[in-house]
Amino acid sequence: MAGNGDELRENDADRGAVRRHRLLFRAAERRRNPPLRRTDITVTDERAVRRAVKAASLGNAMEWFDFGIYSYLAVTIGHVFFPSGNATVELLSSFATFAVSFLVRPLGGMVFGPMGDKIGRKTVLAMTMIMMAIGTFAIGLIPSYAAIGFWAPALLIFFRLVQGFSTGGEYGGASTFIAEYAPDRRRGFFGSFLELGTLAGYVGASGLVTLLTTFLGSDGMESWGWRVPFLVAGPIGLVGLYLRLRLDETPAFQKLGDASVHRASEAASAVETTAKGDLAKIFRQYWPSLLLCVCLVGAYNITDYMLLSYMPTYLSDELGYSETNGLLILIVTMVVLMLLINQVGRLSDRIGRKPVLMTGMLGFLLLSVPAFLLIGQGGTVSVTAGMLMLGLSLVCMLGTMSAALPALFPTEVRYGSLSIGYNLATSLFGGTTPLVITALISVSGSRLMPAYYAMAAALVGVVSVVCMKETARRPLAGSPPAVATAQEAAQMVESQAPAPRF
């Protein structure tokens, strides 16, 4: 009781001091919470935003073009690069090589992520584009196992590692780049173009593989046709590099101040000496956000890779579909998602990220088994209906994640934290999805194992969405507000000005 009495007297004394020195306390309050000034607000340039979105999305499209090619040619690659024998062993070897590139993605994220926070997003994204293009193009030049023996799978694994390392800095940088360029009220819409690039890459890969398979047949594809999609990635990479080099650094990064005054060479040497400190800071100070990012991305990637990478193999190996028919159904599904994804991004700007993400997670949790039962009935209509059920759940995540994930971290560590969290989850859960599902079906004999795996991932996703904060229409942490017009900036300043007293 005595303690409570002391607190009451102290509060009374404080209120008395405020009355006696009102101007002093008002000045102290303004110092702690200064009013928003017009110069504090970033007014985005619509043309610059669209250039940034185009350059970032093209790189993402190229990344998924490569992964799509490898997934859709898994059977052919198994024949070309591994000793002939058991078809299941060849397929597992091919998917294991697919998964091996994901093992080094966290290392790429740990190198390129902190570097992007030091020397800038633009420079690092140009570096990752060059490495990705070289790795993909080189795979198209590797001789077959019949020609050079075990050097063939060894070279394949090496260049897959190059791709994986470079990709470690790609998604985190690209999503950060778009998020920091976009106005706060339209971040979901512009961010959705990054995943539109994902779908475009998959559609381009599946379309090209389907076309080549139709005209060349299985023998022609195994002989030389499989090389064409990998070789096409070289020119695409050069176009993406050109677009990225023409961009300015993001406004949010420029406003960090001291990071932007260093020349790239000086900052690059600083990265080498402070990388351990930067990583320790991320894991020590931002581990709750990092854990949330890993859970969200893990749930999202398992469902993503299951539908967009593994499904053609499932249709051909488990249901006896021809590779061409399976790819055509997947192309139709992805085209539908491409038509919807920007509207989903716009919807997340209007009603919030959490409701849209929760819809997608619950969709996989409740609809995965019915969808796979439909697919298991066979027939074009049933298979397409089942694929669309999964696809409509996935598009809720595709259209929202690229705006939700960058908002988990402040500007000074955004690229590094997002790259580490995203690639840890992708390495552990995303790239291993085809391998795990193939093994589970082989062990259990159940064709519903992909549905059960997706449901487990979605359950983790539901809990993660409940735990995350709503970030739609709000400034990024550590960044000033970003608006589309000077008029909107003036209205924001006016709305936060104190009301006049008479």
Side-chain angles (χ1 to χ4, degrees):
M1 292 298 292
N4 291 338
D6 291 340
E7 288 179 13
L8 288 172
R9 284 194 295 273
E10 185 179 348
N11 291 336
D12 290 340
D14 289 345
R15 285 195 288 270
V18 171
R19 285 196 298 270
R20 290 193 302 273
H21 307 286
R22 194 176 301 277
L23 292 178
L24 180 62
F25 276 91
R26 188 177 298 171
E29 180 64 23
R30 286 171 66 85
R31 186 177 181 84
R32 284 197 303 268
N33 300 292
L36 193 66
R37 297 170 298 180
R38 169 61 188 83
T39 53
D40 295 330
I41 302 172
T42 300
V43 179
T44 60
D45 180 350
E46 180 82 8
R47 289 175 297 180
V49 174
R50 292 188 179 278
R51 284 199 304 269
V53 169
K54 187 187 302 181
S57 300
L58 183 61
N60 208 45
M62 179 183 164
E63 175 189 345
W64 296 109
F65 178 81
D66 160 56
F67 286 125
I69 289 168
Y70 198 96
S71 299
Y72 306 143
L73 290 173
V75 176
T76 302
I77 287 173
H79 293 161
V80 171
F81 285 102
F82 297 98
S84 59
N86 188 297
T88 302
V89 173
E90 285 184 354
L91 185 60
L92 285 171
S93 299
S94 179
F95 277 141
T97 307
F98 176 79
V100 78
S101 68
F102 289 84
L103 298 179
V104 295
R105 283 183 68 155
L107 295 178
M110 291 179 186
V111 172
F112 289 121
M115 192 184 296
D117 288 324
K118 288 284 184 183
I119 67 176
R121 287 68 163 117
K122 169 187 170 181
T123 304
V124 176
L125 282 173
M127 293 167 58
T128 60
M129 177 65 80
I130 292 171
M131 290 184 66
M132 199 187 313
I134 290 173
T136 306
F137 187 80
I139 288 176
L141 301 176
I142 301 174
S144 67
Y145 180 86
I148 60 173
F150 282 99
W151 282 106
L155 287 171
L156 176 65
I157 291 171
F158 172 76
F159 287 115
R160 290 292 295 168
L161 291 174
V162 171
Q163 289 175 319
F165 188 75
S166 64
T167 304
E170 177 61 32
Y171 183 90
S175 57
T176 294
F177 204 79
I178 293 178
E180 292 182 350
Y181 254 108
D184 296 333
R185 292 181 178 275
R186 302 185 70 196
R187 189 171 297 118
F189 171 69
F190 284 117
S192 67
F193 281 92
L194 189 64
E195 298 296 354
L196 180 66
T198 298
L199 292 171
Y202 271 127
V203 168
S206 57
L208 183 55
V209 169
T210 302
L211 195 65
L212 289 169
T213 304
T214 301
F215 283 99
L216 299 178
S218 298
D219 292 339
M221 287 297 290
E222 284 192 27
S223 176
W224 62 273
W226 67 269
R227 299 181 184 275
V228 175
F230 289 101
L231 297 176
V232 165
I236 295 176
L238 291 177
V239 173
L241 179 62
Y242 170 74
L243 290 175
R244 288 186 173 181
L245 290 175
R246 291 180 63 232
L247 295 172
D248 294 325
E249 193 50 81
T250 68
F253 182 79
Q254 290 180 19
K255 289 201 174 187
L256 282 178
D258 57 343
S260 62
V261 300
H262 294 294
R263 294 196 307 273
S265 58
E266 294 173 345
S269 63
V271 168
E272 189 174 343
T273 58
T274 63
K276 289 184 179 178
D278 292 339
L279 291 174
K281 178 181 178 181
I282 289 170
F283 283 105
R284 185 175 60 251
Q285 295 185 18
Y286 301 101
W287 67 265
S289 297
L290 202 61
L291 180 61
L292 182 60
C293 178
V294 169
C295 292
L296 284 169
V297 174
Y300 154 61
N301 267 340
I302 285 175
T303 54
D304 186 310
Y305 281 83
M306 181 199 69
L307 181 62
L308 302 185
S309 292
Y310 173 73
M311 194 55 72
T313 303
Y314 179 81
L315 293 176
S316 60
D317 280 15
E318 302 300 327
L319 302 182
Y321 263 69
S322 71
E323 292 179 18
T324 303
N325 285 346
L327 282 174
L328 284 174
I329 293 173
L330 182 60
I331 289 172
V332 170
T333 303
M334 289 190 292
V335 169
V336 172
L337 302 192
M338 289 176 72
L339 295 174
L340 295 175
I341 191 167
N342 295 137
Q343 301 308 315
V344 172
R346 186 178 275 121
L347 180 66
S348 78
D349 284 328
R350 190 158 59 246
I351 69 173
R353 316 284 185 235
K354 293 184 66 170
V356 181
L357 284 174
M358 185 61 78
T359 301
M361 298 296 182
L362 289 175
F364 273 105
L365 186 62
L366 302 176
L367 299 178
S368 289
V369 169
F372 271 90
L373 288 174
L374 264 177
I375 292 170
Q377 290 181 7
T380 303
V381 174
S382 296
V383 173
T384 303
M387 296 272 279
L388 284 174
M389 286 173 65
L390 298 172
L392 292 176
S393 299
L394 180 62
V395 79
C396 293
M397 295 185 244
L398 286 172
T400 313
M401 276 294 182
S402 50
L405 294 176
L408 295 175
F409 306 101
T411 303
E412 62 177 358
V413 295
R414 181 171 297 123
Y415 196 154
S417 301
L418 182 51
S419 294
I420 292 168
Y422 184 89
N423 288 295
L424 277 174
T426 304
S427 176
L428 292 172
F429 306 111
T432 59
T433 295
L435 180 64
V436 170
I437 293 177
T438 302
L440 287 174
I441 292 175
S442 178
V443 171
S444 68
S446 171
R447 291 178 177 176
L448 289 178
M449 287 311 298
Y452 299 144
Y453 197 48
M455 289 171 66
L459 185 59
V460 174
V462 167
V463 175
S464 302
V465 173
V466 170
C467 294
M468 69 180 284
K469 295 179 180 178
E470 183 56 73
T471 57
R473 303 179 302 280
R474 299 173 187 174
L476 292 168
S479 296
V483 297
T485 64
Q487 181 182 5
E488 191 177 344
Q491 291 173 348
M492 182 176 289
V493 172
E494 184 179 349
S495 69
Q496 297 201 12
R501 294 183 179 181
F502 299 99

